[in-house]
């Protein structure tokens, strides 16, 4: 159906409801949570960005860490992962929250991402400082 075609041959006047619909849509968008991959976030920004599982094996990925076959990763593979992390971090307009796990669901210890250690301390607030 085209605009104005309500199958009755008459044009419907939606001008009275349009501002209400627009306001409701704007409010819903403001309160929405957007889930996406780092690759899918390129070119987008949000007031707050939460990046989860900033752990070795996730960011940088296990593939990047084993790129040289010895578990250390190649400089090129790690730089690619660092650039991806930067893409994720730079999507935040005002607030960036980075999280990592200390223990895997299996009970094995987990290591925070090496990229977290590269962020200047003056730019960070630790969870213990928030309480």
């Amino acid at each position: 159906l085209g605009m104005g075609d309500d199958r009755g041959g008459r044009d419907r006047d939606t001008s009275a409801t349009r501002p209400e619909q627009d306001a409701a849509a704007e409010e819903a968008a403001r309160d929405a949570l957007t889930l996406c991959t780092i690759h899918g976030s390129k070119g987008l920004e949000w007031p707050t960005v939460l990046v989860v599982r900033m752990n070795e094996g996730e960011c940088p990925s296990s593939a990047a860490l084993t790129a040289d076959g010895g578990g250390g990763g190649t400089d090129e593979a790690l730089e690619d992962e660092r650039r991806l992390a930067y893409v994720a971090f730079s999507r935040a307009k005002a607030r960036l929250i980075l999280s990592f796990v200390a223990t895997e669901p299996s009970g094995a210890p987990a290591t925070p991402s090496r990229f977290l250690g590269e962020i200047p301390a003056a730019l960070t607030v630790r969870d213990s400082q928030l309480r």
Side-chain angles (χ1 to χ4, degrees):
L1 295 174
M3 229 174 111
D5 183 359
D6 67 351
R7 293 194 187 250
R10 297 180 319 248
D11 288 343
R12 282 194 283 169
D13 181 11
T14 59
S15 60
T17 58
R18 175 81 56 210
E20 293 168 7
Q21 290 170 342
D22 290 346
E26 285 178 28
E27 184 176 342
R30 189 173 41 252
D31 294 337
L33 171 68
T34 302
L35 297 176
C36 68
T37 64
I38 294 173
H39 291 286
S41 72
K42 290 181 181 178
L44 303 173
E45 288 184 318
W46 296 275
T48 300
V49 171
L50 172 63
V51 182
V52 298
R53 288 200 59 104
M54 286 294 300
N55 288 84
E56 291 291 296
E58 299 285 340
C59 187
S61 68
S62 55
L65 293 174
T66 58
D68 70 350
T74 64
D75 289 342
E76 183 179 341
L78 290 174
E79 277 305 308
D80 284 345
E81 294 288 305
R82 187 175 280 106
R83 280 190 286 276
L84 282 174
Y86 176 79
V87 166
F89 299 172
S90 63
R91 303 303 89 201
K93 290 181 182 179
R95 187 171 155 190
L96 174 65
I97 301 168
L98 305 172
S99 73
F100 61 90
V101 297
T103 307
E104 296 290 345
S106 66
T111 305
S113 172
R114 65 187 70 201
F115 301 150
L116 296 175
E118 297 173 3
I119 301 171
L123 299 177
T124 65
V125 175
R126 307 235 359 129
D127 183 46
S128 59
Q129 294 172 307
L130 296 174
R131 294 182 185 157

